[in-house]
Amino acid sequence: MIRGYTAVIEDSRAGMLQAFIEIRLLGATDSDEIEGIAESIPEIEESHSIAGTSDALLKLRVRDVKHLQQVINAVRRTGKVEGTKTFIIMNTWTRATARAGTP
């Protein structure tokens, strides 16, 4: 069954950059509130609750490093985040794009 279609955007040509922000929530914050954080910031494309020392991994798409800093600041200003760690995506491989013959 096909659940949908996905456009694959070549970020380097579109002038975009992708990153992950790992977040640790404040002690009194419920992990269900991660979705609320993600929904309130349009640059966040995905939110993943994770096990370990951090509580969530947010995937986002921004114009440039300055825009990335603005999004990080917005995440921190939610009042629910104790700390962040950011990873800029340099290259991506997916099984779906490999099957389609996309580099």
Side-chain angles (χ1 to χ4, degrees), residues 61-101:
R61 187 181 310 263
V62 293
R63 293 183 303 277
D64 52 33
V65 175
K66 183 177 180 179
H67 188 197
L68 175 59
Q69 183 63 60
Q70 292 168 346
V71 174
I72 293 167
N73 291 343
V75 168
R76 290 176 178 164
R77 280 193 304 265
T78 62
K80 300 173 184 194
V81 175
E82 180 178 51
T84 63
K85 186 174 183 179
T86 303
F87 305 89
I88 294 175
I89 299 171
M90 304 297 287
N91 190 24
T92 300
W93 176 92
T94 68
R95 193 165 306 283
T97 56
R99 286 189 196 135

Side-chain angles (χ1 to χ4, degrees), residues 28-45:
T29 303
D30 191 314
S31 61
D32 292 339
E33 295 182 68
I34 296 167
E35 279 186 34
I37 294 169
E39 288 176 347
S40 71
I41 300 171
E43 292 85 355
I44 297 174
E45 295 182 338

Side-chain angles (χ1 to χ4, degrees), residues 7-18 45 61-64 67:
V8 178
I9 298 169
E10 193 169 334
D11 291 320
S12 60
R13 287 192 180 175
M16 300 296 279
L17 131 76
Q18 287 184 306
E45 295 182 338
R61 187 181 310 263
V62 293
R63 293 183 303 277
D64 52 33
H67 188 197

